[in-house]
Amino acid sequence: MSRLIQTISSLLEQGEDLVLATILIQEGSTPRTAGTRMVVRRGGDSIATVGGGLVEGEVMKAAGEVFQTRSGQVRPFDLTGTNAESMDLICGGRLEILVEFLEASPENTRIFRELTKSVRSRKKSYLVADLGELDRAPIVVKRCLVLENGTIYGDLTLASDLLEDLLRRMGKDRYPMLANFGGRQYLIEPSFLLGTVYLFGAGHVSQQVAPLAKLVDFKTVVLDDRFEFANRERFPDSDEIKVLSQFENSFQELDVDEESYIVIVTRGHLHDKTVLEQALRSSARYIGMIGSRKKRDRLYSELLAEGFTEKDIARVYAPIGTNIAAETPEEIGISIVGELIKVRASRDQ
């Protein structure tokens, strides 16, 4: 989603009006989840997707109307029963999609510019859209961006109780929500990068993990002591690439916290142990290490002999990744990112 935000910001900066489609409500089995966005340009080109098929076709049709009227509308889609059969859909759920006119106004341009900065810097924020009075159409959307320090960008004035509630929630909510305040409906969307993956080792496995982790909105940092491996040519989309003089003390300059995910895939047992020792002294949410169970058990014995506890060892995911019988670097990369997603999702439970 962060890439789409950057794209929206860039198009608005160029003075291009857009239509923004956002899934407001998702119930049951549907192609995409609440908060999923799609952008439609005047020429009919679209960026991203709200599910494809006839649903998306109806959204594209609505976008043409919205460009004409410059006002928004909410389109319901019932993907169950006879309605689903008539649309050749088998998902079995229900969607409501907001299709709104997004003018390249100074206010909107600044909101998405600041939102892009916020996401890039890992600052927590909320994008708040006022959808107007309940059950009132057409919709003229006003929005603002609320940063965690209380700074607000945009021409939408929030009631003090709503603002206080947002600041209290800041960083806890991951998913968009609809909220009713004072007879008006608001779409509230948390916007921040969902964790940083530190990839220790820049070999073949990291080459597969890095782009996949980036695709699901992790920030990615690649670290190795070999420049010929840790470079922009091999990792073109990673947020940071660090060439270490050695793996010892490599955590000293890293901002490792509860939103950090450590992936240990170095080229040898000695380096793995060096990184793992540092990871266990950190507050990282996830610590995963590649290797066989035999290697893992030998390394654990060494750590226990050095004073680490069974509780420390229990923090480690090893062998790393979900069990999908992965063998190739590509399969192992999918397995690791799948485990990262699972651990990240568990924090909300």
Side-chain angles (χ1 to χ4, degrees), residues 5-59:
I5 290 171
Q6 293 175 35
T7 300
I8 293 171
S9 178
S10 177
L11 293 174
L12 292 176
E13 294 278 6
Q14 296 169 37
E16 182 174 344
D17 298 333
L18 305 168
V19 165
L20 181 62
T22 306
I23 297 179
L24 295 178
I25 297 175
Q26 173 260 332
E27 297 176 351
S29 177
T30 61
R32 302 301 297 273
T33 58
T36 301
R37 296 190 185 101
M38 179 177 79
V39 170
V40 183
R41 305 174 73 177
R42 281 195 184 276
D45 294 336
S46 62
I47 305 168
T49 178
V50 288
L54 292 178
V55 169
E56 197 153 295
E58 288 295 312
V59 170

Side-chain angles (χ1 to χ4, degrees), residues 68-274:
Q68 293 294 322
T69 64
R70 298 171 69 90
S71 61
Q73 52 185 267
V74 175
R75 287 290 184 97
F77 295 92
D78 185 354
L79 311 185
T80 62
T82 57
N83 290 333
E85 292 175 5
S86 66
M87 297 181 71
D88 194 27
L89 298 167
I90 58 173
C91 294
R94 188 174 74 87
L95 291 173
E96 284 190 10
I97 300 178
L98 169 66
V99 187
E100 62 166 298
F101 181 70
L102 187 62
E103 182 184 6
S105 64
E107 294 84 2
N108 285 333
T109 301
R110 187 177 189 190
I111 286 171
F112 280 91
R113 183 193 306 139
E114 295 298 331
L115 178 58
T116 299
K117 291 179 182 177
S118 174
V119 171
R120 284 176 174 170
S121 62
R122 298 181 66 204
K123 292 181 179 178
K124 298 169 183 177
S125 63
Y126 276 116
L127 194 62
V128 183
D130 181 353
L131 307 184
E133 295 181 15
L134 299 177
D135 301 324
R136 176 69 63 86
I139 299 171
V140 178
V141 177
K142 287 188 176 183
R143 60 167 40 85
C144 68
L145 178 68
V146 181
L147 303 185
E148 60 182 330
N149 63 4
T151 301
I152 298 177
Y153 296 100
D155 57 359
L156 173 60
T157 301
L158 299 178
S160 59
D161 55 345
L162 175 55
L163 179 58
E164 289 174 6
D165 183 59
L166 291 180
L167 295 176
R168 186 169 58 251
R169 291 172 177 266
M170 193 71 72
K172 298 178 182 178
D173 296 314
R174 287 183 54 204
Y175 301 105
M177 68 191 102
L178 287 173
N180 299 328
F181 281 87
R184 304 184 72 81
Q185 190 170 53
Y186 295 86
L187 172 63
I188 302 170
E189 301 175 271
S191 300
F192 50 90
L193 279 175
L194 300 172
T196 299
V197 175
Y198 292 95
L199 288 162
F200 284 87
H204 297 309
V205 171
S206 284
Q207 272 193 295
Q208 303 304 320
V209 172
L212 289 172
K214 185 75 172 177
L215 190 63
V216 293
D217 284 335
F218 283 103
K219 178 180 178 180
T220 58
V221 180
V222 179
L223 308 99
D224 204 302
D225 60 351
R226 303 166 294 175
F227 175 77
E228 63 271 23
F229 283 80
N231 57 64
R232 187 58 64 184
E233 183 177 351
R234 285 170 55 81
F235 295 90
D237 298 321
S238 291
D239 295 279
E240 294 181 39
I241 300 171
K242 294 180 178 291
V243 180
L244 307 170
S245 58
Q246 56 184 4
F247 283 103
E248 289 81 359
N249 302 318
S250 55
F251 277 56
Q252 288 184 348
E253 298 182 4
L254 302 181
D255 186 21
V256 175
D257 57 19
E258 294 82 0
E259 298 299 324
S260 299
Y261 299 72
I262 309 299
V263 175
I264 304 172
V265 285
T266 75
R267 63 184 181 276
H269 170 89
L270 180 60
H271 295 312
D272 286 348
K273 181 174 181 289
T274 298

Side-chain angles (χ1 to χ4, degrees), residues 272-285:
D272 286 348
K273 181 174 181 289
T274 298
V275 175
L276 182 56
E277 288 172 338
Q278 297 169 79
L280 289 174
R281 296 188 182 100
S282 77
S283 59
R285 178 169 186 79

Side-chain angles (χ1 to χ4, degrees), residues 266-324:
T266 75
R267 63 184 181 276
H269 170 89
L270 180 60
H271 295 312
D272 286 348
K273 181 174 181 289
T274 298
V275 175
L276 182 56
E277 288 172 338
Q278 297 169 79
L280 289 174
R281 296 188 182 100
S282 77
S283 59
R285 178 169 186 79
Y286 171 91
I287 303 170
M289 182 181 66
I290 201 167
S292 66
R293 287 179 173 81
K294 181 178 180 180
K295 165 194 164 180
R296 176 199 66 185
D297 293 343
R298 184 171 70 251
L299 196 154
Y300 285 179
S301 295
E302 294 173 7
L303 292 176
L304 290 170
E306 294 172 10
F308 286 95
T309 67
E310 292 287 355
K311 186 177 180 180
D312 293 328
I313 299 301
R315 295 177 61 196
V316 185
Y317 290 77
I320 197 170
T322 56
N323 185 7
I324 57 172

